[in-house]
Amino acid sequence: MLDLLITNANLPDGRSGVDIAISGDRFDAVAPSLDAQARRTIDARGRLVTPPFIDPHFHMDATLSLGQPRLNRSGTLLEGIALWGELKPLLTHEAVVERALRYCDLAVARGLLSIRSHVDVCDDRLLAVDALLEVREKIKPHIDLQLVAFPQDGLFRAPGAERNLLRALDKGVDIVGGIPHFERTMADGAASVRRLCEIAAERGLRVDMHCDETDDPASRHIETLAAETVRLGLEGRVAGSHLTSMHSMDNYYVSKLIPLIAEAQVHAIPNPLINITLQGRHDTYPKRRGMTRVPELMAAGVNVALGQDCCMDPWYSLGSADMLEVAHMAVHVGQMTSIDAMKQAFDAVTVNSARAFGLDDYGIEKGRPANCVVLDARDPVEAIRLKATRLAVIRSGAVLAETEPNITRLNLEGRPETLNPADYAPVEASG
């Protein structure tokens, strides 16, 4: 007997009427009309069942700290960094752990079961590093957490940053990070990219670099990152996060740059919610929105994975661990409103992020870990449009979270008594 059977499901690839059989912690079968008995059956009723959402770029050490010790009045990246510098000496191990665990509760409810978090290593105590290493162990049964050693104040700009980064890696942090555009000079920024990539190559680690998070079109550290990736044989193991300067670059230069990124197999990780609020703050009108050139990168074959970045912290006062909200914003800002483009946006918070994350056993296929989410939507486009309710969140065959459909009672004469937005599709003309 099966442990769990999901019937009448739609899948992101367009298949419908599919049954999903789960035995133990693995998918046992994925096919129409399975003749099987199960200890529990979930009728998907023609709703979408997707692999879990993945956030490839987050800052869990700062999450849910909004207002401590003050608010970011200008809304700029630089004030956010300064504010974080004011908060760091006030951090306690217990507070960082508790805030991170509270965020992870929210993530599970949203079907977000893999998160890559940058953790600041410029505090000699490495307090946040130790706290998030503890959190990683606590949440291992339900969330995959990757940690990036992130020298927030600059590898060369901050005293002791390289020493602390190496200490963090020795403690078990997974990935090498950096922030070249925050170094004192462009030359220092390029040198930091080279040094950090060398550290990753020496240790056999991945790289995830905050890269060119600025409105300055002259910030071109992604070019150096792509070149170092090829030089050191790191293809497929490097991510350039943000890349917002590309929004403001000359088109001719970008026509050279994007093929270099593709050649190096560097993953691009824009963060739509944050990029469009932090960037363009010095503009009057027209006002730049800051998000990098997502459609063009995708068209060139670059793997684009969308991140949330922040949630109620010094840089962003909103956020809800909802990767469909991230995809929804990308669709609007990137004018990705064709059906195919919206499906690509859905991929960017699922399969593309899995690729950037390095998850080889991701997806709803026989033999793979039984991780999936039942959404109150029929397809990926509708899921983005509605930011669909997560009806069930399943990890290793266990149902971790369940939410009732979003049903409203109506008191309108001659109209239905209840309304669920997921039941409202375009209506054909009649008569």
Side-chain angles (χ1 to χ4, degrees):
M1 178 178 287
L2 299 170
D3 292 295
L4 180 62
L5 179 64
I6 304 171
T7 61
N8 194 25
N10 294 349
L11 297 182
D13 62 9
R15 283 179 287 169
S16 60
V18 174
D19 294 347
I20 303 169
I22 296 172
S23 292
D25 63 354
R26 298 275 161 173
F27 291 117
D28 188 78
V30 181
S33 304
L34 291 175
D35 183 12
Q37 299 295 314
R39 292 182 175 85
R40 179 175 179 188
T41 298
I42 296 175
D43 183 1
R45 299 180 298 107
R47 297 313 200 219
L48 180 65
V49 180
T50 178
F53 297 106
I54 297 174
D55 185 353
H57 188 106
F58 194 65
H59 291 266
M60 198 173 285
D61 49 358
T63 195
L64 304 184
S65 65
L66 182 66
Q68 302 175 40
R70 60 182 178 83
L71 292 172
N72 185 335
R73 299 297 182 184
S74 69
T76 62
L77 170 66
L78 294 181
E79 184 176 351
I81 293 174
L83 179 51
W84 173 242
E86 296 170 22
L87 176 57
K88 271 192 288 189
L90 308 177
L91 295 175
T92 67
H93 181 98
E94 294 75 18
V96 174
V97 169
E98 177 58 23
R99 288 190 286 101
L101 290 176
R102 285 173 61 84
Y103 180 82
C104 289
D105 294 342
L106 184 59
V108 168
R110 301 289 197 184
L112 171 55
L113 302 186
S114 297
I115 301 171
R116 175 181 288 180
S117 175
H118 298 254
V119 54
D120 190 355
V121 298
C122 288
D123 178 354
D124 288 338
R125 299 173 296 168
L126 292 185
L127 182 147
V129 169
D130 289 335
L132 291 191
L133 286 169
E134 178 180 329
V135 169
R136 187 176 68 183
E137 290 304 306
K138 286 179 180 290
I139 65 173
K140 186 180 291 184
H142 50 275
I143 291 178
D144 297 313
L145 177 61
Q146 289 183 346
L147 297 177
V148 183
F150 177 47
Q152 171 73 79
D153 299 326
L155 184 72
F156 298 144
R157 186 173 179 178
E162 181 173 337
R163 180 187 70 249
N164 288 343
L165 181 138
L166 295 173
R167 287 172 57 210
L169 297 176
D170 289 340
K171 284 174 174 282
V173 171
D174 308 283
I175 298 168
V176 178
I179 185 168
H181 53 277
F182 196 64
E183 301 289 353
R184 288 188 176 88
T185 67
M186 288 288 185
D188 280 355
S192 77
V193 172
R194 286 190 289 273
R195 177 62 185 137
L196 290 163
C197 287
E198 288 169 353
I199 291 170
E202 291 163 4
R203 291 178 174 244
L205 300 177
R206 291 177 175 269
V207 176
D208 191 331
M209 198 84 61
H210 283 60
C211 207
D212 304 323
E213 188 184 3
T214 170
D215 292 322
D216 180 4
S219 185
R220 298 178 173 184
H221 296 299
I222 180 58
E223 181 182 71
T224 304
L225 182 61
E228 290 301 306
T229 298
V230 173
R231 180 177 74 88
L232 295 167
L234 294 171
E235 290 93 340
R237 293 162 49 193
V238 174
S241 290
H242 295 295
L243 308 180
T244 58
S245 68
M246 199 184 301
H247 182 95
S248 302
M249 286 177 181
D250 174 78
N251 286 337
Y252 179 81
Y253 174 67
V254 171
S255 73
K256 169 200 172 186
L257 178 61
I258 290 180
L260 291 177
I261 297 171
E263 175 192 348
Q265 300 173 44
V266 171
H267 307 280
I269 306 179
N271 299 281
L273 299 172
I274 312 306
N275 296 154
I276 68 163
T277 52
L278 293 182
Q279 305 311 133
R281 289 282 181 168
H282 298 284
D283 294 352
T284 53
Y285 289 93
K287 186 181 287 287
R288 288 170 288 181
R289 293 294 76 216
M291 189 176 80
T292 195
R293 304 187 186 207
V294 171
E296 292 82 0
L297 286 162
M298 287 180 166
V302 175
N303 183 54
V304 177
L306 301 175
Q308 174 151 272
D309 196 5
C310 302
C311 180
M312 289 181 279
D313 67 11
W315 295 273
Y316 190 60
S317 58
L318 304 173
S320 64
D322 188 348
M323 297 309 295
L324 287 175
E325 181 180 25
V326 173
H328 188 271
M329 186 59 72
V331 163
H332 285 80
V333 178
Q335 298 181 330
M336 299 170 62
T337 51
S338 72
I339 297 298
D340 286 343
M342 287 188 279
K343 289 178 179 177
Q344 286 181 312
F346 188 86
D347 286 347
V349 294
T350 52
V351 293
N352 294 6
S353 288
R355 194 173 300 121
F357 212 86
L359 291 180
D360 297 324
D361 55 359
Y362 177 85
I364 302 174
E365 294 184 21
K366 181 178 180 178
R368 293 189 172 178
N371 306 328
C372 59
V373 182
V374 183
L375 295 173
D376 200 4
R378 288 163 295 186
D379 57 50
V381 172
E382 188 170 80
I384 291 174
R385 179 174 67 85
L386 298 175
K387 288 170 280 200
T389 300
R390 282 67 164 171
L391 301 175
V393 178
I394 297 161
R395 164 89 170 197
S396 298
V399 180
L400 300 184
E402 295 179 84
T403 306
E404 292 296 319
N406 180 18
I407 295 176
T408 301
R409 294 187 180 277
L410 294 177
N411 298 303
L412 302 175
E413 186 175 350
R415 302 305 300 157
E417 294 182 358
T418 61
L419 180 152
N420 181 346
D423 293 328
Y424 278 66
V427 178
E428 293 184 7
S430 60

CSV table of all heavy atoms in Angstrom, one decimal, residues 82-133:
chain,number,residue,atom,x,y,z
A,82,ALA,N,24.6,50.6,5.9
A,82,ALA,CA,25.0,51.4,7.1
A,82,ALA,C,24.1,51.0,8.3
A,82,ALA,O,24.6,50.8,9.4
A,82,ALA,CB,24.9,52.9,6.8
A,83,LEU,N,22.8,50.8,8.1
A,83,LEU,CA,21.9,50.4,9.1
A,83,LEU,C,22.3,49.0,9.7
A,83,LEU,O,22.2,48.8,10.9
A,83,LEU,CB,20.5,50.5,8.6
A,83,LEU,CG,19.3,50.1,9.5
A,83,LEU,CD1,19.4,50.8,10.9
A,83,LEU,CD2,18.0,50.4,8.8
A,84,TRP,N,22.6,48.1,8.7
A,84,TRP,CA,23.0,46.8,9.2
A,84,TRP,C,24.3,46.8,10.0
A,84,TRP,O,24.4,46.1,11.0
A,84,TRP,CB,23.2,45.9,7.9
A,84,TRP,CG,23.8,44.5,8.2
A,84,TRP,CD1,25.0,44.1,7.8
A,84,TRP,CD2,23.2,43.5,9.0
A,84,TRP,NE1,25.2,42.8,8.2
A,84,TRP,CE2,24.1,42.4,8.9
A,84,TRP,CE3,22.0,43.3,9.7
A,84,TRP,CZ2,23.8,41.2,9.6
A,84,TRP,CZ3,21.8,42.1,10.3
A,84,TRP,CH2,22.7,41.1,10.3
A,85,GLY,N,25.2,47.8,9.7
A,85,GLY,CA,26.4,48.0,10.5
A,85,GLY,C,26.0,48.4,11.9
A,85,GLY,O,26.7,48.1,12.8
A,86,GLU,N,25.0,49.2,12.0
A,86,GLU,CA,24.5,49.6,13.4
A,86,GLU,C,23.9,48.5,14.1
A,86,GLU,O,24.0,48.4,15.4
A,86,GLU,CB,23.5,50.8,13.2
A,86,GLU,CG,24.1,52.1,12.6
A,86,GLU,CD,23.0,53.1,12.3
A,86,GLU,OE1,21.9,53.0,12.9
A,86,GLU,OE2,23.3,53.9,11.4
A,87,LEU,N,23.2,47.6,13.4
A,87,LEU,CA,22.5,46.5,14.1
A,87,LEU,C,23.5,45.4,14.5
A,87,LEU,O,23.3,44.7,15.5
A,87,LEU,CB,21.5,46.0,13.1
A,87,LEU,CG,20.7,44.7,13.6
A,87,LEU,CD1,20.0,45.0,14.9
A,87,LEU,CD2,19.7,44.3,12.6
A,88,LYS,N,24.5,45.1,13.7
A,88,LYS,CA,25.4,44.0,14.0
A,88,LYS,C,25.9,43.9,15.4
A,88,LYS,O,25.9,42.8,16.0
A,88,LYS,CB,26.6,44.0,13.0
A,88,LYS,CG,26.3,43.2,11.7
A,88,LYS,CD,27.5,43.0,10.9
A,88,LYS,CE,28.1,44.2,10.2
A,88,LYS,NZ,29.2,43.9,9.3
A,89,PRO,N,26.4,45.0,16.0
A,89,PRO,CA,26.9,44.9,17.4
A,89,PRO,C,25.8,44.5,18.4
A,89,PRO,O,26.1,44.1,19.5
A,89,PRO,CB,27.5,46.3,17.7
A,89,PRO,CG,27.7,46.9,16.4
A,89,PRO,CD,26.6,46.4,15.5
A,90,LEU,N,24.6,44.7,18.0
A,90,LEU,CA,23.4,44.5,18.9
A,90,LEU,C,22.9,43.1,18.8
A,90,LEU,O,22.0,42.6,19.6
A,90,LEU,CB,22.3,45.5,18.7
A,90,LEU,CG,22.7,47.0,18.7
A,90,LEU,CD1,21.5,47.8,18.3
A,90,LEU,CD2,23.3,47.4,20.0
A,91,LEU,N,23.4,42.3,17.8
A,91,LEU,CA,22.8,41.0,17.6
A,91,LEU,C,23.2,40.0,18.7
A,91,LEU,O,24.3,40.1,19.3
A,91,LEU,CB,23.4,40.4,16.3
A,91,LEU,CG,23.0,41.1,14.9
A,91,LEU,CD1,23.8,40.4,13.8
A,91,LEU,CD2,21.5,41.0,14.7
A,92,THR,N,22.3,39.1,19.0
A,92,THR,CA,22.6,38.0,19.9
A,92,THR,C,22.3,36.7,19.1
A,92,THR,O,21.5,36.7,18.2
A,92,THR,CB,21.7,38.0,21.1
A,92,THR,OG1,20.3,37.8,20.8
A,92,THR,CG2,21.8,39.3,21.9
A,93,HIS,N,23.1,35.7,19.5
A,93,HIS,CA,22.9,34.4,18.9
A,93,HIS,C,21.5,33.9,18.9
A,93,HIS,O,20.9,33.5,17.9
A,93,HIS,CB,23.8,33.4,19.6
A,93,HIS,CG,23.8,32.0,19.0
A,93,HIS,ND1,24.7,31.5,18.2
A,93,HIS,CD2,22.9,31.0,19.2
A,93,HIS,CE1,24.4,30.3,17.8
A,93,HIS,NE2,23.3,29.9,18.5
A,94,GLU,N,20.8,34.1,20.1
A,94,GLU,CA,19.5,33.6,20.3
A,94,GLU,C,18.5,34.3,19.4
A,94,GLU,O,17.6,33.7,18.8
A,94,GLU,CB,19.1,33.7,21.8
A,94,GLU,CG,19.9,32.9,22.7
A,94,GLU,CD,21.3,33.4,23.0
A,94,GLU,OE1,21.6,34.6,22.7
A,94,GLU,OE2,22.1,32.5,23.5
A,95,ALA,N,18.7,35.6,19.3
A,95,ALA,CA,17.7,36.4,18.5
A,95,ALA,C,17.9,36.1,17.0
A,95,ALA,O,16.8,36.0,16.3
A,95,ALA,CB,18.0,37.9,18.7
A,96,VAL,N,19.1,35.9,16.5
A,96,VAL,CA,19.3,35.5,15.1
A,96,VAL,C,18.6,34.1,14.8
A,96,VAL,O,17.9,34.0,13.8
A,96,VAL,CB,20.8,35.5,14.7
A,96,VAL,CG1,21.0,35.0,13.3
A,96,VAL,CG2,21.3,36.9,14.8
A,97,VAL,N,18.8,33.2,15.7
A,97,VAL,CA,18.2,31.9,15.5
A,97,VAL,C,16.7,32.0,15.6
A,97,VAL,O,16.1,31.4,14.7
A,97,VAL,CB,18.7,30.9,16.7
A,97,VAL,CG1,17.9,29.6,16.7
A,97,VAL,CG2,20.2,30.6,16.5
A,98,GLU,N,16.2,32.7,16.5
A,98,GLU,CA,14.7,32.7,16.6
A,98,GLU,C,14.1,33.4,15.4
A,98,GLU,O,13.1,32.9,14.9
A,98,GLU,CB,14.3,33.5,17.9
A,98,GLU,CG,12.8,33.7,18.1
A,98,GLU,CD,12.0,32.4,18.1
A,98,GLU,OE1,12.6,31.3,18.4
A,98,GLU,OE2,10.8,32.4,17.8
A,99,ARG,N,14.7,34.5,14.9
A,99,ARG,CA,14.1,35.2,13.8
A,99,ARG,C,14.2,34.3,12.5
A,99,ARG,O,13.3,34.2,11.7
A,99,ARG,CB,14.8,36.5,13.5
A,99,ARG,CG,14.5,37.6,14.5
A,99,ARG,CD,15.0,39.0,14.1
A,99,ARG,NE,16.5,39.1,14.3
A,99,ARG,CZ,17.4,39.0,13.4
A,99,ARG,NH1,17.0,38.8,12.1
A,99,ARG,NH2,18.6,39.2,13.6
A,100,ALA,N,15.3,33.6,12.4
A,100,ALA,CA,15.5,32.7,11.2
A,100,ALA,C,14.5,31.6,11.3
A,100,ALA,O,13.9,31.2,10.2
A,100,ALA,CB,16.9,32.2,11.2
A,101,LEU,N,14.3,31.0,12.4
A,101,LEU,CA,13.3,29.9,12.6
A,101,LEU,C,11.9,30.3,12.3
A,101,LEU,O,11.1,29.6,11.6
A,101,LEU,CB,13.4,29.2,14.0
A,101,LEU,CG,14.7,28.5,14.2
A,101,LEU,CD1,14.7,28.0,15.7
A,101,LEU,CD2,14.8,27.3,13.3
A,102,ARG,N,11.5,31.5,12.7
A,102,ARG,CA,10.2,32.1,12.4
A,102,ARG,C,10.0,32.3,10.9
A,102,ARG,O,9.0,32.0,10.4
A,102,ARG,CB,10.0,33.4,13.2
A,102,ARG,CG,9.8,33.2,14.7
A,102,ARG,CD,9.7,34.6,15.4
A,102,ARG,NE,8.7,35.4,14.9
A,102,ARG,CZ,7.4,35.4,15.3
A,102,ARG,NH1,7.0,34.5,16.2
A,102,ARG,NH2,6.5,36.2,14.8
A,103,TYR,N,11.1,32.8,10.3
A,103,TYR,CA,11.0,32.9,8.8
A,103,TYR,C,10.8,31.6,8.1
A,103,TYR,O,10.1,31.4,7.2
A,103,TYR,CB,12.2,33.6,8.3
A,103,TYR,CG,12.1,33.8,6.8
A,103,TYR,CD1,11.4,34.8,6.2
A,103,TYR,CD2,12.8,32.9,5.9
A,103,TYR,CE1,11.3,35.0,4.8
A,103,TYR,CE2,12.6,33.0,4.5
A,103,TYR,CZ,11.9,34.1,4.0
A,103,TYR,OH,11.8,34.2,2.7
A,104,CYS,N,11.5,30.6,8.6
A,104,CYS,CA,11.5,29.2,8.0
A,104,CYS,C,10.1,28.6,8.2
A,104,CYS,O,9.6,27.9,7.3
A,104,CYS,CB,12.5,28.3,8.6
A,104,CYS,SG,14.2,28.8,8.0
A,105,ASP,N,9.4,28.9,9.3
A,105,ASP,CA,8.0,28.5,9.4
A,105,ASP,C,7.2,29.1,8.3
A,105,ASP,O,6.3,28.4,7.7
A,105,ASP,CB,7.4,29.0,10.8
A,105,ASP,CG,8.1,28.3,12.0
A,105,ASP,OD1,8.7,27.3,11.8
A,105,ASP,OD2,7.9,28.9,13.1
A,106,LEU,N,7.4,30.3,8.0
A,106,LEU,CA,6.6,31.0,7.0
A,106,LEU,C,7.0,30.4,5.6
A,106,LEU,O,6.1,30.2,4.8
A,106,LEU,CB,6.9,32.5,7.0
A,106,LEU,CG,6.2,33.4,6.0
A,106,LEU,CD1,4.7,33.4,6.2
A,106,LEU,CD2,6.7,34.9,6.2
A,107,ALA,N,8.2,30.1,5.4
A,107,ALA,CA,8.7,29.5,4.2
A,107,ALA,C,8.0,28.2,3.9
A,107,ALA,O,7.6,27.9,2.8
A,107,ALA,CB,10.2,29.4,4.2
A,108,VAL,N,8.0,27.3,4.9
A,108,VAL,CA,7.3,26.0,4.7
A,108,VAL,C,5.8,26.2,4.4
A,108,VAL,O,5.3,25.5,3.4
A,108,VAL,CB,7.4,25.2,6.0
A,108,VAL,CG1,6.5,24.0,6.0
A,108,VAL,CG2,8.9,24.7,6.2
A,109,ALA,N,5.2,27.1,5.0
A,109,ALA,CA,3.8,27.4,4.7
A,109,ALA,C,3.6,27.8,3.2
A,109,ALA,O,2.5,27.6,2.6
A,109,ALA,CB,3.2,28.4,5.6
A,110,ARG,N,4.6,28.5,2.7
A,110,ARG,CA,4.6,28.9,1.3
A,110,ARG,C,5.1,27.9,0.3
A,110,ARG,O,5.3,28.2,-0.9
A,110,ARG,CB,5.4,30.2,1.1
A,110,ARG,CG,4.9,31.4,2.0
A,110,ARG,CD,3.6,31.9,1.6
A,110,ARG,NE,3.4,33.3,2.1
A,110,ARG,CZ,2.3,34.0,2.0
A,110,ARG,NH1,1.3,33.5,1.2
A,110,ARG,NH2,2.2,35.2,2.5
A,111,GLY,N,5.5,26.7,0.8
A,111,GLY,CA,6.1,25.7,-0.1
A,111,GLY,C,7.5,26.0,-0.6
A,111,GLY,O,7.9,25.5,-1.6
A,112,LEU,N,8.2,26.8,0.2
A,112,LEU,CA,9.6,27.2,-0.1
A,112,LEU,C,10.5,26.3,0.7
A,112,LEU,O,10.6,26.5,1.9
A,112,LEU,CB,9.8,28.7,0.3
A,112,LEU,CG,11.2,29.3,0.2
A,112,LEU,CD1,11.9,29.0,-1.1
A,112,LEU,CD2,11.2,30.7,0.6
A,113,LEU,N,11.1,25.3,0.1
A,113,LEU,CA,11.7,24.3,0.8
A,113,LEU,C,13.2,24.2,0.6
A,113,LEU,O,13.9,23.3,1.1
A,113,LEU,CB,11.1,22.9,0.5
A,113,LEU,CG,9.6,22.8,0.8
A,113,LEU,CD1,9.1,21.3,0.6
A,113,LEU,CD2,9.3,23.2,2.3
A,114,SER,N,13.8,25.2,-0.2
A,114,SER,CA,15.2,25.3,-0.4
A,114,SER,C,15.6,26.8,-0.4
A,114,SER,O,15.0,27.5,-1.2
A,114,SER,CB,15.7,24.6,-1.7
A,114,SER,OG,15.5,23.2,-1.6
A,115,ILE,N,16.5,27.2,0.4
A,115,ILE,CA,16.9,28.6,0.5
A,115,ILE,C,18.4,28.7,0.5
A,115,ILE,O,19.1,27.9,1.3
A,115,ILE,CB,16.4,29.2,1.8
A,115,ILE,CG1,14.8,29.1,1.9
A,115,ILE,CG2,16.8,30.7,2.0
A,115,ILE,CD1,14.2,29.5,3.2
A,116,ARG,N,19.0,29.6,-0.2
A,116,ARG,CA,20.4,30.0,-0.2
A,116,ARG,C,20.5,31.3,0.5
A,116,ARG,O,20.0,32.3,0.0
A,116,ARG,CB,21.0,30.0,-1.6
A,116,ARG,CG,22.5,30.5,-1.5
A,116,ARG,CD,23.1,30.6,-2.9
A,116,ARG,NE,23.3,29.2,-3.5
A,116,ARG,CZ,23.9,29.0,-4.7
A,116,ARG,NH1,24.2,30.0,-5.5
A,116,ARG,NH2,24.1,27.8,-5.1
A,117,SER,N,21.1,31.3,1.7
A,117,SER,CA,21.2,32.6,2.4
A,117,SER,C,22.7,33.0,2.5
A,117,SER,O,23.6,32.2,2.9
A,117,SER,CB,20.7,32.4,3.9
A,117,SER,OG,20.9,33.5,4.6
A,118,HIS,N,22.9,34.3,2.2
A,118,HIS,CA,24.2,34.9,2.5
A,118,HIS,C,24.2,35.2,4.0
A,118,HIS,O,23.2,35.6,4.6
A,118,HIS,CB,24.3,36.2,1.6
A,118,HIS,CG,24.3,35.9,0.2
A,118,HIS,ND1,25.4,35.9,-0.6
A,118,HIS,CD2,23.3,35.5,-0.7
A,118,HIS,CE1,25.2,35.6,-1.8
A,118,HIS,NE2,23.9,35.3,-1.9
A,119,VAL,N,25.4,35.1,4.6
A,119,VAL,CA,25.6,35.4,6.0
A,119,VAL,C,26.9,36.3,6.1
A,119,VAL,O,27.9,35.9,5.6
A,119,VAL,CB,25.6,34.1,6.9
A,119,VAL,CG1,26.7,33.2,6.4
A,119,VAL,CG2,25.9,34.5,8.3
A,120,ASP,N,26.7,37.4,6.8
A,120,ASP,CA,27.8,38.4,6.9
A,120,ASP,C,28.9,37.8,7.7
A,120,ASP,O,28.7,37.3,8.9
A,120,ASP,CB,27.2,39.6,7.6
A,120,ASP,CG,28.2,40.8,7.5
A,120,ASP,OD1,29.4,40.6,7.1
A,120,ASP,OD2,27.8,41.9,7.9
A,121,VAL,N,30.2,37.9,7.2
A,121,VAL,CA,31.3,37.4,7.9
A,121,VAL,C,32.3,38.5,8.4
A,121,VAL,O,33.4,38.2,8.8
A,121,VAL,CB,32.1,36.4,7.1
A,121,VAL,CG1,31.3,35.2,6.7
A,121,VAL,CG2,32.7,37.0,5.8
A,122,CYS,N,31.8,39.7,8.3
A,122,CYS,CA,32.7,40.9,8.7
A,122,CYS,C,32.6,41.2,10.2
A,122,CYS,O,33.2,42.2,10.6
A,122,CYS,CB,32.3,42.1,7.8
A,122,CYS,SG,32.9,41.9,6.1
A,123,ASP,N,31.9,40.4,10.9
A,123,ASP,CA,31.9,40.5,12.4
A,123,ASP,C,32.8,39.5,12.9
A,123,ASP,O,32.7,38.3,12.7
A,123,ASP,CB,30.4,40.2,12.9
A,123,ASP,CG,30.3,40.3,14.4
A,123,ASP,OD1,31.3,40.4,15.1
A,123,ASP,OD2,29.2,40.1,14.9
A,124,ASP,N,33.9,40.0,13.6
A,124,ASP,CA,34.9,39.0,14.1
A,124,ASP,C,34.3,37.9,15.0
A,124,ASP,O,35.0,36.8,15.1
A,124,ASP,CB,36.0,39.8,14.9
A,124,ASP,CG,36.9,40.6,14.0
A,124,ASP,OD1,37.0,40.4,12.8
A,124,ASP,OD2,37.5,41.6,14.5
A,125,ARG,N,33.2,38.1,15.6
A,125,ARG,CA,32.6,37.1,16.4
A,125,ARG,C,32.0,35.9,15.6
A,125,ARG,O,31.8,34.9,16.1
A,125,ARG,CB,31.5,37.7,17.3
A,125,ARG,CG,31.8,38.8,18.2
A,125,ARG,CD,30.6,39.4,18.9
A,125,ARG,NE,29.7,40.0,17.9
A,125,ARG,CZ,28.5,40.4,18.1
A,125,ARG,NH1,27.9,40.2,19.3
A,125,ARG,NH2,27.8,41.0,17.2
A,126,LEU,N,31.8,36.2,14.3
A,126,LEU,CA,31.1,35.2,13.4
A,126,LEU,C,29.8,34.7,14.1
A,126,LEU,O,29.4,33.6,14.0
A,126,LEU,CB,32.0,34.1,13.1
A,126,LEU,CG,33.2,34.4,12.1
A,126,LEU,CD1,33.9,33.1,11.7
A,126,LEU,CD2,32.7,35.2,10.9
A,127,LEU,N,29.1,35.7,14.8
A,127,LEU,CA,27.9,35.3,15.5
A,127,LEU,C,26.8,34.8,14.6
A,127,LEU,O,26.2,33.8,14.9
A,127,LEU,CB,27.5,36.5,16.4
A,127,LEU,CG,26.2,36.4,17.2
A,127,LEU,CD1,26.4,37.2,18.5
A,127,LEU,CD2,24.9,36.7,16.5
A,128,ALA,N,26.6,35.6,13.5
A,128,ALA,CA,25.5,35.2,12.6
A,128,ALA,C,25.9,33.8,11.9
A,128,ALA,O,25.0,33.0,11.6
A,128,ALA,CB,25.3,36.3,11.6
A,129,VAL,N,27.1,33.6,11.6
A,129,VAL,CA,27.5,32.3,11.0
A,129,VAL,C,27.2,31.2,12.0
A,129,VAL,O,26.6,30.2,11.5
A,129,VAL,CB,29.1,32.4,10.7
A,129,VAL,CG1,29.5,31.0,10.3
A,129,VAL,CG2,29.4,33.3,9.6
A,130,ASP,N,27.6,31.3,13.2
A,130,ASP,CA,27.3,30.2,14.2
A,130,ASP,C,25.8,30.0,14.3
A,130,ASP,O,25.3,28.9,14.4
A,130,ASP,CB,27.9,30.5,15.5
A,130,ASP,CG,29.5,30.4,15.5
A,130,ASP,OD1,30.0,29.6,14.6
A,130,ASP,OD2,30.1,31.0,16.3
A,131,ALA,N,25.1,31.1,14.4
A,131,ALA,CA,23.6,31.0,14.5
A,131,ALA,C,23.0,30.3,13.3
A,131,ALA,O,22.1,29.4,13.5
A,131,ALA,CB,23.0,32.4,14.7
A,132,LEU,N,23.3,30.7,12.1
A,132,LEU,CA,22.7,30.1,11.0
A,132,LEU,C,23.2,28.6,10.7
A,132,LEU,O,22.4,27.8,10.2
A,132,LEU,CB,22.9,30.9,9.7
A,132,LEU,CG,22.2,32.3,9.7
A,132,LEU,CD1,22.2,32.9,8.4
A,132,LEU,CD2,20.7,32.1,10.2
A,133,LEU,N,24.4,28.3,11.2
A,133,LEU,CA,24.8,26.9,11.1
A,133,LEU,C,23.9,26.1,12.0
A,133,LEU,O,23.5,24.9,11.7
A,133,LEU,CB,26.3,26.7,11.5
A,133,LEU,CG,27.3,27.2,10.5
A,133,LEU,CD1,28.7,27.3,11.1
A,133,LEU,CD2,27.3,26.3,9.3
